[in-house]
Amino acid sequence: MSKTIPIWACVLNRAIKNYLQRMLGDSHQDQELESNISSNETVDMRLKYADWDCSLHLPIWVSNSEKAIIETHLQEWTMLLEACGADISSFASNLRKPLRPLWISQKTLIWLNEIPDHDSWEFIPLILVSASASDGISQSRTSSGFSWHYIPGAGDDEESWARGLSPDLFWKHAFELIDAGPELCKRQVAEIVEKERVYLAQRGKYSPQVTLKPGKSSTINHPISLEESNIVSELMETEFPINSMSSISSCKEQTIFWLGSTNVAVSTTSHVFNASDDVECVLNCDSNSGSFSFPSASSQLHLPIVTSKVDRFSLIRNLPSAIDFAKLNLSGGRKLLVCCHSGEDISVCVCLAILISLFDEKGSFDGGNSFMHTTITKWDMRRRLVFICKFATSARPSRGNLKQVFGFLSREQESAIVAESALEAT
């Protein structure tokens, strides 16, 4: 977070500025820009875009030498962003000021009295919150004059510490959790998560029960752990009438994301039933099996794929079967839905492998002909992933699964080259 987000904010600022320079400098393209932005705003942007602060803003604990090295790559990264197919025009239409990160920690003090009105700021702030605690003792030992107590997993790997609490659930019950305080927070989280699980189960939606792995010193540091362990069993014995809760789930409803005109869609497993009229075959990548109402058994395939953190080779082992199933159905003109539990990671990576293996650069199905005659690079994967993210807005593919997709594609191409060489030799 200290460097990645500031770098991409800077790169995006530069790409937007380049886009505006091209659009505002071309009378023909200027009409396209003005169709999205009013005339007064366009004139204002003509005056302000040149003054956009596109410099790199890093935290004070990053050394000047490291900052200088990063700055040498900014132009290259900006060109890569512009070439990957990202929708820069949408950013240019919505962002009126450059992005700039602000780091907030437990001891941060930015404003003495009150927060100024955001309209007076010369930038759009990206608030980066650190859960780590500043270390006053080690500060004098560091060249940057700053140090932190690192808390592993504080910014990611939420499945290891969030106790089943999703972002949507957190924001819906944020004030309840704050009012509960540190002593009752875990109990409150357990109640919220279990009530949501029961709510979804009563509506036929799969929602696994959360299992917690107690830490080595949990009985010492958390004296209410015994009481907390009884929460789930208490709630399981409680009946929750459907009408006693809100008619709208607190989890944000996801939909079916069709990937352009490819006849391929991605979704969560729980939404397959809602798409039965639009989908003709389903590739279920959820680790839990599910039965869907389709006319024939050949219209659905279940591949129990788990995340790379559980099994580093689970995806790559199942991709050959996934590609064969997709090829069989797509070649017959059928609409394919790829689903997994979250609809964000495994199913997205499977769709990525399908699009690269069976579709050409223009997004037309060719059964793998173009794949066998081109060399797939990580850059090609990145461009196809950008294409998917334009439609599947909730996509969050993990690095481990993306590595497996690239490994599978490389292996398939190597096998094809060997087979072709052997055929030529005979």
Side-chain angles (χ1 to χ4, degrees):
M1 185 175 73
S2 295
K3 290 174 285 189
T4 304
I5 295 180
I7 289 173
W8 281 110
C10 176
V11 169
L12 181 57
N13 287 336
R14 294 164 64 99
I16 292 175
K17 183 175 181 178
N18 291 344
Y19 172 82
L20 292 174
Q21 286 178 328
R22 291 193 299 269
M23 298 296 285
L24 297 176
D26 190 316
S27 59
H28 297 288
Q29 293 180 331
D30 192 30
Q31 296 177 357
E32 177 185 343
L33 184 65
E34 290 182 352
S35 64
N36 298 324
I37 305 174
S38 66
S39 58
N40 291 336
E41 289 175 324
T42 304
V43 173
D44 183 62
M45 291 180 68
R46 288 181 184 275
L47 299 175
K48 289 186 176 181
Y49 80 86
D51 296 328
W52 267 38
D53 181 10
C54 294
S55 57
L56 179 64
H57 294 274
L58 293 173
I60 59 175
W61 52 87
V62 177
S63 64
N64 292 332
S65 58
E66 185 176 5
K67 179 180 180 181
I69 295 174
I70 294 174
E71 288 177 330
T72 60
H73 295 282
L74 291 178
Q75 181 62 28
E76 171 192 353
W77 293 333
T78 302
M79 295 174 63
L80 289 175
L81 176 61
E82 294 172 339
C84 75
D87 190 5
I88 305 298
S89 61
S90 294
F91 286 104
S93 300
N94 291 282
L95 295 180
R96 299 294 184 266
K97 300 175 184 179
L99 300 172
R100 182 185 298 184
L102 295 178
W103 287 266
I104 306 297
S105 71
Q106 299 175 16
K107 295 185 178 180
T108 298
L109 182 62
I110 299 180
W111 298 283
L112 297 177
N113 297 317
E114 60 183 17
I115 300 177
D117 185 78
H118 65 87
D119 290 335
S120 65
W121 297 8
E122 297 180 353
F123 56 88
I124 298 175
L126 294 175
I127 307 299
L128 308 182
V129 182
S130 173
S132 301
S134 60
D135 183 2
I137 299 176
S138 335
Q139 286 183 5
S140 59
R141 302 179 185 176
T142 60
S143 59
S144 63
F146 220 86
S147 182
W148 299 90
H149 280 308
Y150 175 66
I151 302 177
D156 53 12
D157 299 334
E158 66 273 8
E159 66 274 9
S160 65
W161 56 263
R163 315 177 82 83
L165 190 67
S166 66
D168 293 317
L169 277 177
F170 169 79
W171 286 113
K172 182 178 180 180
H173 301 278
F175 291 107
E176 299 173 36
L177 294 170
I178 294 173
D179 292 339
E183 294 183 354
L184 300 177
C185 181
K186 291 182 180 179
R187 178 186 177 91
Q188 190 74 19
V189 169
E191 292 180 354
I192 292 171
V193 171
E194 182 60 16
K195 284 182 179 180
E196 179 68 13
R197 188 190 71 81
V198 174
Y199 174 88
L200 294 175
Q202 290 177 334
R203 285 154 178 76
K205 298 180 180 180
Y206 172 73
S207 183
Q209 189 171 350
V210 177
T211 56
L212 304 178
K213 296 182 180 180
K216 295 180 180 179
S217 59
S218 60
T219 57
I220 298 176
N221 296 330
H222 307 289
I224 65 170
S225 59
L226 179 60
E227 179 185 10
E228 178 192 357
S229 66
N230 296 326
I231 296 298
V232 173
S233 59
E234 293 175 4
L235 290 170
M236 288 181 65
E237 297 172 358
T238 306
E239 292 294 333
F240 292 96
I242 292 180
N243 294 331
S244 67
M245 303 181 70
S246 171
S247 60
I248 301 177
S249 171
S250 58
C251 290
K252 187 179 296 182
E253 292 292 336
Q254 292 181 319
T255 57
I256 307 298
F257 300 107
W258 289 99
L259 307 181
S261 57
T262 61
N263 277 348
V264 179
V266 60
S267 176
T268 61
T269 310
S270 60
H271 282 86
V272 174
F273 298 98
N274 300 334
S276 57
D277 295 336
D278 301 323
V279 175
E280 296 168 289
C281 51
V282 173
L283 175 55
N284 180 12
C285 303
D286 200 324
S287 56
N288 296 278
S289 61
S291 179
F292 310 112
S293 56
F294 286 96
S296 63
S298 60
S299 298
Q300 55 183 309
L301 174 65
H302 176 227
L303 299 175
I305 305 175
V306 297
T307 64
S308 59
K309 293 179 181 179
V310 177
D311 184 348
R312 292 186 300 162
F313 307 103
S314 177
L315 178 59
I316 197 171
R317 282 198 305 268
N318 287 281
L319 278 178
S321 299
I323 298 300
D324 291 342
F325 178 78
K327 184 176 182 179
L328 175 65
N329 286 278
L330 291 173
S331 61
R334 289 184 284 272
K335 295 181 179 180
L336 169 67
L337 174 62
V338 182
C339 64
C340 66
H341 174 63
S342 67
E344 299 175 350
D345 182 9
I346 295 175
S347 55
V348 171
C349 289
V350 172
C351 285
L352 178 62
I354 291 173
L355 292 184
I356 295 178
S357 301
L358 304 177
F359 290 78
D360 61 18
E361 282 286 334
K362 298 180 180 180
S364 301
F365 178 81
D366 66 357
N369 183 57
S370 59
F371 173 71
M372 291 304 176
H373 293 85
T374 57
T375 301
I376 300 299
T377 64
K378 291 183 178 180
W379 170 248
D380 296 314
M381 275 190 54
R382 187 180 294 116
R383 287 191 299 105
R384 297 294 181 98
L385 185 58
V386 169
F387 171 80
I388 293 175
C389 291
K390 286 182 178 180
F391 303 98
T393 55
S394 62
R396 287 199 314 166
S398 63
R399 180 180 300 180
N401 284 336
L402 288 175
K403 285 183 177 180
Q404 292 182 71
V405 172
F406 184 72
F408 165 77
L409 297 173
S410 301
R411 187 180 65 188
E412 289 296 300
Q413 289 198 321
E414 289 175 2
S415 300
I417 292 175
V418 171
E420 186 175 352
S421 300
L423 182 61
E424 293 177 353
T426 55

